[in-house]
Amino acid sequence: ICLGMTRCGKYIRVVPRPVMLGFVNGLAIKVIRAQIPHFQHPHGVWLRGAALKWHSILVAASALIIEYFPKIAKGSIMPSPLIALGLAAILVEKMNLPVPKLVDIVGPEAFEGGVGTLMQALFPFAGTDESGVPKFLPPYGSILTLERLIRAFPTALEAAVVGLLQSLLTLQIVDERTNTKGKNTKESIAQGLGNLLSGSMGGMGGSALLGQSLVNVQAGGTGRLSSIAVAVFVLAGVTFFAPILGRIPVAALVGLMLTVAQHTFSWEMLDSMVKGQVPWADIIIMVSVTMTTSFVNMAAAVALGVLTSALRFAWQASCNISARSTGKGTHLQNRCIHVQGPLFFGSALTFQKLSAPSEKDREIATRLQTRFLQLAKRKEKQGNQENNNPPPPPKFLTGRETVIDFLNSQVWDHAAIMAIESVCKRYHDLGVKLHLRHLSADCREKILECSDVGEWSTEFDVDASSDPSYCVGVDPTNKS
Protein backbone atom coordinates (compact mmCIF):
# COMPACT_ATOMS: atom_id res chain seq x y z
CA ILE A 1 0.00 0.00 0.00
CA CYS A 2 2.81 2.41 0.89
CA LEU A 3 4.61 1.68 -2.37
CA GLY A 4 1.42 2.39 -4.27
CA MET A 5 0.59 5.60 -2.40
CA THR A 6 4.11 6.93 -3.01
CA ARG A 7 3.65 6.14 -6.72
CA CYS A 8 6.62 3.81 -6.85
CA GLY A 9 4.80 1.84 -9.53
CA LYS A 10 5.66 4.47 -12.14
CA TYR A 11 9.30 3.41 -11.96
CA ILE A 12 8.43 0.11 -13.62
CA ARG A 13 8.93 1.99 -16.89
CA VAL A 14 12.69 2.05 -16.26
CA VAL A 15 12.69 -1.70 -16.84
CA PRO A 16 13.98 -1.93 -20.42
CA ARG A 17 12.55 -4.26 -23.02
CA PRO A 18 15.49 -6.74 -22.98
CA VAL A 19 14.95 -7.18 -19.24
CA MET A 20 11.21 -7.66 -19.80
CA LEU A 21 11.80 -10.31 -22.46
CA GLY A 22 14.44 -12.02 -20.33
CA PHE A 23 12.00 -12.09 -17.40
CA VAL A 24 9.28 -13.59 -19.62
CA ASN A 25 11.57 -16.24 -21.09
CA GLY A 26 12.97 -17.12 -17.67
CA LEU A 27 9.48 -17.49 -16.29
CA ALA A 28 8.59 -19.82 -19.18
CA ILE A 29 11.65 -21.98 -18.44
CA LYS A 30 10.77 -21.96 -14.75
CA VAL A 31 7.25 -23.17 -15.55
CA ILE A 32 8.67 -26.01 -17.67
CA ARG A 33 11.12 -27.00 -14.93
CA ALA A 34 8.27 -27.05 -12.41
CA GLN A 35 6.46 -29.73 -14.45
CA ILE A 36 9.31 -32.26 -14.29
CA PRO A 37 8.50 -33.48 -10.74
CA HIS A 38 4.96 -34.27 -11.91
CA PHE A 39 6.36 -37.24 -13.83
CA GLN A 40 6.69 -38.95 -10.45
CA HIS A 41 4.35 -40.87 -8.19
CA PRO A 42 3.16 -39.05 -5.04
CA HIS A 43 5.80 -40.88 -2.99
CA GLY A 44 8.62 -39.58 -5.24
CA VAL A 45 9.29 -42.56 -7.51
CA TRP A 46 9.55 -41.81 -11.23
CA LEU A 47 6.76 -43.12 -13.43
CA ARG A 48 7.58 -46.23 -15.44
CA GLY A 49 5.98 -48.57 -17.92
CA ALA A 50 2.29 -48.04 -18.69
CA ALA A 51 1.97 -45.19 -16.19
CA LEU A 52 4.73 -43.20 -17.91
CA LYS A 53 3.34 -43.99 -21.36
CA TRP A 54 -0.22 -42.88 -20.64
CA HIS A 55 0.94 -39.92 -18.59
CA SER A 56 3.02 -38.68 -21.53
CA ILE A 57 0.18 -39.30 -23.99
CA LEU A 58 -2.24 -37.31 -21.85
CA VAL A 59 0.27 -34.45 -21.53
CA ALA A 60 0.73 -34.26 -25.29
CA ALA A 61 -2.99 -34.65 -26.05
CA SER A 62 -3.99 -31.96 -23.54
CA ALA A 63 -1.41 -29.54 -24.93
CA LEU A 64 -2.56 -30.17 -28.52
CA ILE A 65 -6.23 -29.67 -27.61
CA ILE A 66 -5.53 -26.45 -25.76
CA GLU A 67 -3.40 -25.13 -28.60
CA TYR A 68 -5.39 -26.13 -31.70
CA PHE A 69 -9.03 -26.44 -30.60
CA PRO A 70 -9.63 -22.65 -30.75
CA LYS A 71 -8.21 -22.62 -34.31
CA ILE A 72 -10.40 -25.53 -35.47
CA ALA A 73 -13.66 -24.70 -33.68
CA LYS A 74 -13.70 -20.95 -34.17
CA GLY A 75 -16.42 -19.15 -32.26
CA SER A 76 -16.77 -21.86 -29.62
CA ILE A 77 -17.86 -20.58 -26.22
CA MET A 78 -16.11 -23.43 -24.40
CA PRO A 79 -12.52 -22.62 -23.35
CA SER A 80 -10.04 -25.12 -24.72
CA PRO A 81 -8.34 -25.74 -21.30
CA LEU A 82 -11.71 -26.77 -19.81
CA ILE A 83 -12.33 -29.16 -22.72
CA ALA A 84 -8.85 -30.70 -22.36
CA LEU A 85 -9.24 -31.22 -18.60
CA GLY A 86 -12.72 -32.72 -19.01
CA LEU A 87 -11.74 -35.13 -21.78
CA ALA A 88 -8.64 -36.26 -19.89
CA ALA A 89 -10.65 -36.91 -16.72
CA ILE A 90 -13.30 -38.89 -18.62
CA LEU A 91 -10.67 -40.93 -20.45
CA VAL A 92 -8.84 -41.82 -17.24
CA GLU A 93 -12.07 -42.85 -15.50
CA LYS A 94 -13.42 -44.92 -18.39
CA MET A 95 -10.17 -46.72 -19.16
CA ASN A 96 -8.97 -46.85 -15.54
CA LEU A 97 -5.53 -45.59 -16.55
CA PRO A 98 -2.73 -45.87 -13.97
CA VAL A 99 -1.83 -42.18 -13.91
CA PRO A 100 -1.65 -39.87 -10.87
CA LYS A 101 -4.62 -37.61 -10.16
CA LEU A 102 -4.98 -34.47 -8.13
CA VAL A 103 -6.45 -36.38 -5.20
CA ASP A 104 -3.32 -38.56 -5.16
CA ILE A 105 -1.02 -35.55 -5.03
CA VAL A 106 -2.85 -33.24 -2.60
CA GLY A 107 -4.74 -35.78 -0.50
CA PRO A 108 -8.43 -36.73 -0.19
CA GLU A 109 -9.12 -34.26 2.63
CA ALA A 110 -8.60 -31.34 0.22
CA PHE A 111 -11.45 -32.55 -2.03
CA GLU A 112 -14.16 -33.28 0.50
CA GLY A 113 -16.07 -30.15 -0.56
CA GLY A 114 -19.19 -28.76 1.07
CA VAL A 115 -20.04 -25.57 2.90
CA GLY A 116 -17.75 -26.57 5.74
CA THR A 117 -14.79 -26.47 3.38
CA LEU A 118 -15.85 -23.02 2.23
CA MET A 119 -16.12 -21.75 5.80
CA GLN A 120 -12.76 -23.25 6.66
CA ALA A 121 -11.19 -21.56 3.64
CA LEU A 122 -12.69 -18.18 4.45
CA PHE A 123 -12.30 -18.35 8.22
CA PRO A 124 -9.43 -20.73 9.08
CA PHE A 125 -9.44 -19.50 12.70
CA ALA A 126 -13.17 -19.96 13.22
CA GLY A 127 -14.16 -21.52 16.53
CA THR A 128 -15.49 -20.66 19.96
CA ASP A 129 -13.79 -19.08 22.91
CA GLU A 130 -13.87 -20.32 26.51
CA SER A 131 -17.33 -18.85 27.09
CA GLY A 132 -18.77 -20.51 23.98
CA VAL A 133 -18.99 -17.31 21.91
CA PRO A 134 -18.15 -17.97 18.26
CA LYS A 135 -15.14 -16.14 16.87
CA PHE A 136 -13.83 -15.87 13.32
CA LEU A 137 -10.73 -13.70 13.51
CA PRO A 138 -7.20 -14.84 14.43
CA PRO A 139 -5.93 -14.24 17.97
CA TYR A 140 -4.10 -11.03 17.14
CA GLY A 141 -3.06 -10.44 20.73
CA SER A 142 -0.89 -13.56 20.88
CA ILE A 143 0.31 -13.34 17.25
CA LEU A 144 1.17 -9.69 16.70
CA THR A 145 3.91 -9.29 19.27
CA LEU A 146 6.72 -6.79 18.76
CA GLU A 147 9.34 -9.52 18.59
CA ARG A 148 7.46 -11.39 15.85
CA LEU A 149 6.80 -8.22 13.88
CA ILE A 150 10.50 -7.30 13.91
CA ARG A 151 11.44 -10.82 12.86
CA ALA A 152 8.86 -10.91 10.07
CA PHE A 153 9.49 -7.40 8.69
CA PRO A 154 12.45 -8.23 6.36
CA THR A 155 10.61 -11.20 4.87
CA ALA A 156 7.40 -9.19 4.54
CA LEU A 157 9.22 -6.34 2.80
CA GLU A 158 10.93 -8.73 0.38
CA ALA A 159 7.64 -10.48 -0.39
CA ALA A 160 5.89 -7.14 -0.96
CA VAL A 161 8.58 -5.91 -3.35
CA VAL A 162 8.75 -9.19 -5.27
CA GLY A 163 4.97 -9.48 -5.48
CA LEU A 164 4.53 -5.88 -6.60
CA LEU A 165 7.32 -6.23 -9.15
CA GLN A 166 5.78 -9.37 -10.63
CA SER A 167 2.33 -7.76 -10.74
CA LEU A 168 3.57 -4.62 -12.51
CA LEU A 169 5.60 -6.63 -15.02
CA THR A 170 2.56 -8.80 -15.68
CA LEU A 171 0.46 -5.66 -16.11
CA GLN A 172 2.88 -4.29 -18.70
CA ILE A 173 2.99 -7.55 -20.66
CA VAL A 174 -0.81 -7.92 -20.64
CA ASP A 175 -1.17 -4.28 -21.72
CA GLU A 176 1.13 -5.00 -24.62
CA ARG A 177 -0.82 -8.10 -25.64
CA THR A 178 -4.24 -6.41 -25.35
CA ASN A 179 -3.34 -2.87 -26.49
CA THR A 180 -4.64 -1.39 -23.24
CA LYS A 181 -3.23 0.88 -20.55
CA GLY A 182 -3.28 -0.23 -16.93
CA LYS A 183 -2.87 1.97 -13.87
CA ASN A 184 0.16 1.00 -11.82
CA THR A 185 -0.78 3.02 -8.75
CA LYS A 186 -4.28 1.56 -8.47
CA GLU A 187 -2.98 -1.97 -9.02
CA SER A 188 -0.35 -1.51 -6.30
CA ILE A 189 -2.81 -0.18 -3.73
CA ALA A 190 -5.43 -2.81 -4.61
CA GLN A 191 -2.91 -5.63 -4.25
CA GLY A 192 -1.77 -4.26 -0.90
CA LEU A 193 -5.33 -3.99 0.42
CA GLY A 194 -6.17 -7.49 -0.81
CA ASN A 195 -3.11 -9.02 0.81
CA LEU A 196 -3.76 -7.08 4.02
CA LEU A 197 -7.31 -8.42 4.18
CA SER A 198 -6.20 -11.94 3.31
CA GLY A 199 -3.45 -11.93 5.93
CA SER A 200 -5.74 -10.54 8.61
CA MET A 201 -8.09 -13.49 8.02
CA GLY A 202 -5.28 -16.04 8.15
CA GLY A 203 -4.86 -16.42 4.40
CA MET A 204 -1.80 -16.18 2.18
CA GLY A 205 -0.65 -13.15 0.24
CA GLY A 206 -0.41 -13.19 -3.50
CA SER A 207 0.27 -11.24 -6.67
CA ALA A 208 -0.54 -11.30 -10.35
CA LEU A 209 0.72 -14.42 -12.13
CA LEU A 210 1.91 -14.04 -15.70
CA GLY A 211 1.11 -17.60 -16.76
CA GLN A 212 -2.48 -17.57 -15.51
CA SER A 213 -2.97 -14.05 -16.86
CA LEU A 214 -1.86 -15.14 -20.34
CA VAL A 215 -4.23 -18.13 -20.15
CA ASN A 216 -7.03 -15.69 -19.35
CA VAL A 217 -6.09 -13.42 -22.24
CA GLN A 218 -5.78 -16.36 -24.63
CA ALA A 219 -9.27 -17.53 -23.62
CA GLY A 220 -10.69 -14.07 -24.34
CA GLY A 221 -10.81 -12.77 -20.77
CA THR A 222 -9.28 -9.31 -21.08
CA GLY A 223 -11.40 -7.39 -18.55
CA ARG A 224 -11.47 -7.24 -14.78
CA LEU A 225 -14.57 -9.41 -14.75
CA SER A 226 -12.48 -12.33 -16.02
CA SER A 227 -10.19 -12.17 -12.97
CA ILE A 228 -13.18 -12.06 -10.63
CA ALA A 229 -14.78 -14.96 -12.53
CA VAL A 230 -11.65 -17.08 -12.07
CA ALA A 231 -11.73 -16.56 -8.30
CA VAL A 232 -15.47 -17.23 -8.09
CA PHE A 233 -15.30 -20.41 -10.17
CA VAL A 234 -12.31 -21.74 -8.21
CA LEU A 235 -14.16 -21.08 -4.97
CA ALA A 236 -17.34 -22.71 -6.30
CA GLY A 237 -15.38 -25.66 -7.65
CA VAL A 238 -13.62 -26.32 -4.37
CA THR A 239 -16.93 -26.00 -2.50
CA PHE A 240 -19.42 -27.85 -4.69
CA PHE A 241 -17.38 -29.84 -7.23
CA ALA A 242 -14.36 -30.82 -5.16
CA PRO A 243 -14.71 -34.61 -5.72
CA ILE A 244 -14.83 -34.03 -9.49
CA LEU A 245 -11.77 -31.79 -9.40
CA GLY A 246 -9.87 -34.45 -7.47
CA ARG A 247 -10.30 -36.86 -10.40
CA ILE A 248 -8.55 -34.61 -12.92
CA PRO A 249 -5.30 -36.27 -14.00
CA VAL A 250 -2.12 -34.37 -13.29
CA ALA A 251 -1.04 -34.94 -16.88
CA ALA A 252 -3.79 -32.63 -18.16
CA LEU A 253 -2.57 -29.82 -15.91
CA VAL A 254 1.01 -30.45 -17.04
CA GLY A 255 -0.12 -30.09 -20.64
CA LEU A 256 -1.91 -26.87 -19.74
CA MET A 257 1.17 -25.39 -18.08
CA LEU A 258 3.41 -26.43 -20.98
CA THR A 259 1.07 -24.57 -23.31
CA VAL A 260 1.23 -21.56 -21.01
CA ALA A 261 5.04 -21.71 -21.11
CA GLN A 262 4.99 -21.98 -24.90
CA HIS A 263 2.86 -18.84 -25.19
CA THR A 264 4.88 -17.04 -22.53
CA PHE A 265 8.24 -17.53 -24.23
CA SER A 266 9.21 -14.77 -26.67
CA TRP A 267 9.86 -16.77 -29.83
CA GLU A 268 9.97 -13.63 -32.00
CA MET A 269 12.95 -12.31 -30.08
CA LEU A 270 14.69 -15.70 -30.32
CA ASP A 271 14.21 -15.61 -34.10
CA SER A 272 15.63 -12.09 -34.25
CA MET A 273 18.63 -13.17 -32.19
CA VAL A 274 19.34 -16.08 -34.56
CA LYS A 275 19.15 -13.72 -37.55
CA GLY A 276 21.62 -11.34 -35.92
CA GLN A 277 19.13 -8.47 -35.65
CA VAL A 278 19.64 -7.92 -31.90
CA PRO A 279 22.72 -6.12 -30.48
CA TRP A 280 25.08 -8.24 -28.46
CA ALA A 281 24.55 -6.09 -25.37
CA ASP A 282 20.80 -6.79 -25.45
CA ILE A 283 21.44 -10.51 -25.95
CA ILE A 284 23.75 -10.65 -22.92
CA ILE A 285 21.20 -8.81 -20.78
CA MET A 286 18.33 -11.07 -21.91
CA VAL A 287 20.27 -14.29 -21.35
CA SER A 288 21.49 -13.21 -17.89
CA VAL A 289 17.99 -12.17 -16.81
CA THR A 290 16.53 -15.39 -18.22
CA MET A 291 18.99 -17.61 -16.34
CA THR A 292 18.63 -15.63 -13.10
CA THR A 293 14.83 -15.75 -13.29
CA SER A 294 14.86 -19.47 -13.93
CA PHE A 295 17.43 -20.58 -11.37
CA VAL A 296 17.55 -17.82 -8.69
CA ASN A 297 14.51 -15.55 -8.29
CA MET A 298 12.62 -12.92 -10.24
CA ALA A 299 13.53 -9.95 -8.06
CA ALA A 300 17.26 -10.61 -8.40
CA ALA A 301 16.83 -11.13 -12.15
CA VAL A 302 15.06 -7.80 -12.72
CA ALA A 303 17.52 -5.98 -10.44
CA LEU A 304 20.44 -7.48 -12.35
CA GLY A 305 18.88 -6.57 -15.69
CA VAL A 306 18.06 -2.99 -14.72
CA LEU A 307 21.52 -2.46 -13.21
CA THR A 308 23.26 -3.86 -16.29
CA SER A 309 21.08 -1.79 -18.61
CA ALA A 310 21.74 1.33 -16.53
CA LEU A 311 25.50 0.80 -16.73
CA ARG A 312 25.21 0.25 -20.46
CA PHE A 313 23.17 3.43 -20.87
CA ALA A 314 25.63 5.41 -18.77
CA TRP A 315 28.52 4.16 -20.91
CA GLN A 316 26.76 4.96 -24.17
CA ALA A 317 25.70 8.40 -22.93
CA SER A 318 29.24 9.14 -21.76
CA CYS A 319 30.52 8.31 -25.24
CA ASN A 320 28.06 10.75 -26.85
CA ILE A 321 29.66 13.88 -25.44
CA SER A 322 31.91 15.85 -27.78
CA ALA A 323 33.38 19.31 -28.12
CA ARG A 324 34.20 21.43 -31.16
CA SER A 325 36.66 24.27 -30.82
CA THR A 326 36.68 27.37 -33.04
CA GLY A 327 39.12 30.28 -33.20
CA LYS A 328 42.14 28.37 -31.86
CA GLY A 329 44.70 29.78 -34.25
CA THR A 330 48.04 30.96 -32.91
CA HIS A 331 47.26 34.62 -33.66
CA LEU A 332 43.76 34.58 -32.12
CA GLN A 333 43.24 35.31 -28.49
CA ASN A 334 39.67 33.98 -28.26
CA ARG A 335 38.56 30.38 -28.46
CA CYS A 336 35.04 28.91 -28.30
CA ILE A 337 34.33 25.31 -27.23
CA HIS A 338 30.91 23.98 -28.26
CA VAL A 339 29.92 21.08 -25.98
CA GLN A 340 27.48 18.50 -27.33
CA GLY A 341 25.83 15.69 -25.39
CA PRO A 342 24.76 15.14 -21.76
CA LEU A 343 27.17 16.09 -19.00
CA PHE A 344 26.96 13.74 -16.00
CA PHE A 345 29.18 11.47 -13.91
CA GLY A 346 29.90 9.18 -16.85
CA SER A 347 31.03 11.95 -19.20
CA ALA A 348 32.59 14.35 -16.66
CA LEU A 349 36.15 13.14 -17.22
CA THR A 350 35.77 13.30 -21.00
CA PHE A 351 34.39 16.83 -20.70
CA GLN A 352 37.41 17.93 -18.67
CA LYS A 353 39.77 16.58 -21.33
CA LEU A 354 37.84 18.13 -24.21
CA SER A 355 37.57 21.50 -22.46
CA ALA A 356 41.14 21.68 -21.22
CA PRO A 357 43.19 24.83 -21.87
CA SER A 358 45.06 24.87 -25.15
CA GLU A 359 48.82 24.58 -25.56
CA LYS A 360 48.92 28.28 -26.47
CA ASP A 361 47.22 29.13 -23.17
CA ARG A 362 49.77 27.10 -21.21
CA GLU A 363 52.67 28.55 -23.18
CA ILE A 364 51.68 32.16 -22.56
CA ALA A 365 50.85 31.47 -18.91
CA THR A 366 54.22 29.81 -18.37
CA ARG A 367 56.02 32.70 -20.05
CA LEU A 368 54.24 35.31 -17.93
CA GLN A 369 54.71 33.30 -14.75
CA THR A 370 58.45 33.07 -15.45
CA ARG A 371 58.61 36.83 -15.91
CA PHE A 372 56.83 37.41 -12.61
CA LEU A 373 59.27 35.08 -10.83
CA GLN A 374 62.27 36.83 -12.34
CA LEU A 375 60.85 40.21 -11.35
CA ALA A 376 60.25 39.00 -7.80
CA LYS A 377 63.84 37.76 -7.51
CA ARG A 378 65.18 41.09 -8.71
CA LYS A 379 63.13 42.97 -6.12
CA GLU A 380 64.36 40.56 -3.48
CA LYS A 381 68.00 41.23 -4.33
CA GLN A 382 67.48 44.98 -4.51
CA GLY A 383 65.81 45.06 -1.14
CA ASN A 384 68.49 42.80 0.44
CA GLN A 385 65.82 40.58 1.89
CA GLU A 386 67.00 37.82 4.21
CA ASN A 387 64.32 35.38 3.13
CA ASN A 388 65.64 33.14 0.35
CA ASN A 389 62.17 31.92 -0.65
CA PRO A 390 60.67 34.21 -3.31
CA PRO A 391 57.07 35.27 -2.80
CA PRO A 392 54.45 33.50 -4.89
CA PRO A 393 53.59 35.23 -8.15
CA PRO A 394 50.47 37.39 -8.07
CA LYS A 395 47.35 36.41 -9.93
CA PHE A 396 47.50 37.67 -13.48
CA LEU A 397 45.51 37.64 -16.71
CA THR A 398 47.15 36.69 -19.95
CA GLY A 399 44.68 38.62 -22.05
CA ARG A 400 43.32 35.43 -23.59
CA GLU A 401 39.68 34.41 -23.36
CA THR A 402 37.84 31.10 -23.83
CA VAL A 403 34.11 30.49 -24.18
CA ILE A 404 32.48 27.15 -23.29
CA ASP A 405 29.06 26.96 -24.91
CA PHE A 406 26.54 24.47 -23.43
CA LEU A 407 23.76 25.19 -25.93
CA ASN A 408 23.67 21.56 -27.15
CA SER A 409 24.43 20.05 -23.76
CA GLN A 410 22.68 19.65 -20.44
CA VAL A 411 24.08 19.33 -16.94
CA TRP A 412 22.54 16.34 -15.17
CA ASP A 413 24.12 15.85 -11.76
CA HIS A 414 26.55 17.06 -9.10
CA ALA A 415 29.49 15.32 -10.77
CA ALA A 416 28.95 17.54 -13.80
CA ILE A 417 28.96 20.64 -11.54
CA MET A 418 32.29 19.53 -10.07
CA ALA A 419 33.69 18.93 -13.56
CA ILE A 420 32.78 22.48 -14.60
CA GLU A 421 34.39 23.83 -11.42
CA SER A 422 37.59 21.89 -12.17
CA VAL A 423 37.77 23.32 -15.69
CA CYS A 424 37.18 26.86 -14.36
CA LYS A 425 39.98 26.39 -11.81
CA ARG A 426 42.44 25.30 -14.49
CA TYR A 427 41.73 28.33 -16.65
CA HIS A 428 41.90 30.62 -13.63
CA ASP A 429 45.31 29.25 -12.62
CA LEU A 430 46.60 29.98 -16.12
CA GLY A 431 45.20 33.50 -16.14
CA VAL A 432 42.76 32.84 -18.98
CA LYS A 433 39.37 34.48 -18.70
CA LEU A 434 36.60 31.88 -19.09
CA HIS A 435 33.02 32.53 -20.21
CA LEU A 436 30.30 29.93 -19.49
CA ARG A 437 27.42 30.31 -21.90
CA HIS A 438 23.92 28.81 -22.20
CA LEU A 439 23.68 27.31 -18.72
CA SER A 440 20.32 27.21 -16.92
CA ALA A 441 19.71 29.50 -13.97
CA ASP A 442 19.59 26.54 -11.58
CA CYS A 443 22.89 25.25 -12.93
CA ARG A 444 24.59 28.64 -12.51
CA GLU A 445 23.26 28.88 -8.96
CA LYS A 446 24.54 25.43 -8.02
CA ILE A 447 27.99 26.16 -9.49
CA LEU A 448 28.28 29.32 -7.38
CA GLU A 449 27.04 27.50 -4.26
CA CYS A 450 29.38 24.52 -4.57
CA SER A 451 32.59 26.31 -5.56
CA ASP A 452 34.58 29.56 -5.57
CA VAL A 453 33.97 30.20 -9.25
CA GLY A 454 32.52 33.64 -8.42
CA GLU A 455 35.95 34.73 -7.13
CA TRP A 456 37.85 33.48 -10.17
CA SER A 457 38.35 34.84 -13.65
CA THR A 458 35.10 33.21 -14.81
CA GLU A 459 31.99 34.92 -16.09
CA PHE A 460 28.50 33.64 -16.86
CA ASP A 461 27.10 34.94 -20.12
CA VAL A 462 23.38 35.23 -19.41
CA ASP A 463 20.88 35.47 -22.26
CA ALA A 464 17.28 35.05 -21.15
CA SER A 465 16.09 34.52 -24.71
CA SER A 466 18.35 31.56 -25.49
CA ASP A 467 19.41 30.11 -22.13
CA PRO A 468 17.82 26.71 -21.38
CA SER A 469 15.50 26.11 -18.45
CA TYR A 470 16.12 22.92 -16.45
CA CYS A 471 17.02 21.87 -12.94
CA VAL A 472 20.09 19.83 -12.13
CA GLY A 473 19.39 16.41 -10.60
CA VAL A 474 15.57 16.77 -10.68
CA ASP A 475 13.15 14.30 -12.28
CA PRO A 476 12.03 16.06 -15.49
CA THR A 477 8.58 14.46 -15.20
CA ASN A 478 7.96 16.04 -11.80
CA LYS A 479 5.65 18.97 -12.43
CA SER A 480 5.58 20.24 -8.87
Side-chain angles (χ1 to χ4, degrees):
I1 298 176
C2 295
L3 294 175
M5 295 182 65
T6 54
R7 298 185 180 275
C8 292
K10 66 179 181 180
Y11 294 108
I12 194 66
R13 63 187 176 188
V14 304
V15 179
R17 184 168 180 80
V19 178
M20 190 83 66
L21 295 176
F23 169 78
V24 169
N25 294 342
L27 188 60
I29 296 175
K30 197 167 188 176
V31 170
I32 295 175
R33 291 178 60 240
Q35 308 314 309
I36 296 177
H38 293 303
F39 282 82
Q40 298 177 340
H41 287 289
H43 50 275
V45 179
W46 291 98
L47 299 176
R48 296 180 180 179
L52 178 60
K53 180 184 70 173
W54 284 108
H55 189 83
S56 303
I57 292 175
L58 289 175
V59 169
S62 301
L64 291 175
I65 293 174
I66 295 172
E67 179 68 22
Y68 293 103
F69 179 80
K71 301 177 182 179
I72 298 175
K74 296 182 179 180
S76 175
I77 62 174
M78 291 292 292
S80 57
L82 184 59
I83 295 177
L85 294 178
L87 291 178
I90 294 174
L91 184 63
V92 170
E93 290 295 326
K94 294 296 183 181
M95 299 182 63
N96 195 22
L97 300 179
V99 294
K101 306 173 186 176
L102 280 180
V103 67
D104 302 325
I105 302 297
V106 183
E109 63 278 356
F111 297 96
E112 294 178 355
V115 180
T117 303
L118 177 62
M119 294 299 296
Q120 185 178 3
L122 295 177
F123 305 100
F125 289 92
T128 57
D129 56 14
E130 298 177 353
S131 58
V133 178
K135 60 177 183 178
F136 301 95
L137 298 179
Y140 296 117
S142 59
I143 295 178
L144 300 180
T145 61
L146 181 60
E147 180 182 358
R148 290 183 177 179
L149 290 176
I150 295 176
R151 187 186 307 173
F153 179 77
T155 303
L157 180 62
E158 180 183 359
V161 173
V162 172
L164 181 60
L165 183 63
Q166 181 171 342
S167 296
L168 295 179
L169 288 175
T170 302
L171 179 62
Q172 278 200 335
I173 295 172
V174 172
D175 286 345
E176 184 178 342
R177 300 280 179 100
T178 58
N179 295 323
T180 56
K181 177 63 177 176
K183 297 181 179 180
N184 295 336
T185 301
K186 285 188 176 182
E187 295 292 339
S188 304
I189 297 177
Q191 178 175 314
L193 291 174
N195 286 335
L196 183 62
L197 179 61
S198 176
S200 64
M201 302 300 293
M204 293 178 58
S207 64
L209 298 177
L210 180 60
Q212 284 78 347
S213 299
L214 292 180
V215 170
N216 248 12
V217 172
Q218 185 183 358
T222 57
R224 297 188 181 276
L225 184 60
S226 63
S227 301
I228 299 175
V230 170
V232 171
F233 280 113
V234 169
L235 190 62
V238 173
T239 305
F240 304 106
F241 306 102
I244 299 177
L245 294 178
R247 298 179 183 178
I248 295 178
V250 178
L253 298 176
V254 173
L256 171 62
M257 297 309 299
L258 291 179
T259 306
V260 170
Q262 188 267 332
H263 284 280
T264 303
F265 197 89
S266 178
W267 299 101
E268 298 83 1
M269 181 56 65
L270 183 62
D271 182 62
S272 300
M273 291 169 56
V274 173
K275 294 180 179 178
Q277 300 174 351
V278 182
W280 278 105
D282 288 345
I283 294 177
I284 294 175
I285 292 174
M286 280 189 291
V287 172
S288 61
V289 173
T290 299
M291 293 297 101
T292 309
T293 301
S294 179
F295 297 99
V296 184
N297 62 66
M298 291 173 287
V302 175
L304 173 65
V306 171
L307 178 61
T308 307
S309 301
L311 293 176
R312 176 197 174 195
F313 170 78
W315 171 256
Q316 291 179 339
S318 65
C319 295
N320 288 335
I321 192 170
S322 61
R324 176 175 53 88
S325 299
T326 59
K328 59 179 180 179
T330 56
H331 301 290
L332 296 177
Q333 292 183 335
N334 296 332
R335 185 169 71 117
C336 185
I337 302 174
H338 301 273
V339 182
Q340 295 182 345
L343 182 55
F344 66 111
F345 69 91
S347 59
L349 184 60
T350 305
F351 164 76
Q352 295 182 49
K353 293 180 180 179
L354 296 174
S355 304
S358 64
E359 291 296 330
K360 192 66 175 179
D361 295 333
R362 295 189 180 92
E363 180 184 343
I364 295 177
T366 303
R367 189 186 310 163
L368 290 177
Q369 187 175 16
T370 303
R371 290 180 182 178
F372 276 114
L373 289 174
Q374 292 175 353
L375 181 61
K377 289 181 179 179
R378 289 177 185 176
K379 290 183 178 181
E380 179 185 1
K381 291 179 180 179
Q382 292 176 359
N384 295 323
Q385 297 181 2
E386 297 180 357
N387 187 8
N388 295 326
N389 297 323
K395 295 299 179 182
F396 57 87
L397 290 176
T398 61
R400 297 179 63 82
E401 294 184 3
T402 297
V403 177
I404 301 181
D405 193 343
F406 294 89
L407 180 62
N408 297 318
S409 180
Q410 183 171 334
V411 180
W412 282 1
D413 56 12
H414 183 73
I417 298 292
M418 294 295 100
I420 295 176
E421 177 198 7
S422 176
V423 171
C424 294
K425 182 70 166 59
R426 294 168 70 178
Y427 279 97
H428 173 71
D429 292 340
L430 293 178
V432 179
K433 190 171 184 178
L434 181 63
H435 296 264
L436 300 179
R437 186 175 297 171
H438 291 127
L439 288 172
S440 68
D442 181 73
C443 183
R444 293 193 298 267
E445 182 180 350
K446 282 185 169 58
I447 292 176
L448 294 174
E449 290 177 353
C450 300
S451 64
D452 298 326
V453 172
E455 303 175 2
W456 298 340
S457 56
T458 302
E459 290 186 2
F460 294 98
D461 295 345
V462 180
D463 186 355
S465 62
S466 60
D467 284 348
S469 177
Y470 61 83
C471 295
V472 179
V474 177
D475 185 358
T477 62
N478 189 1
K479 305 300 182 182
S480 59

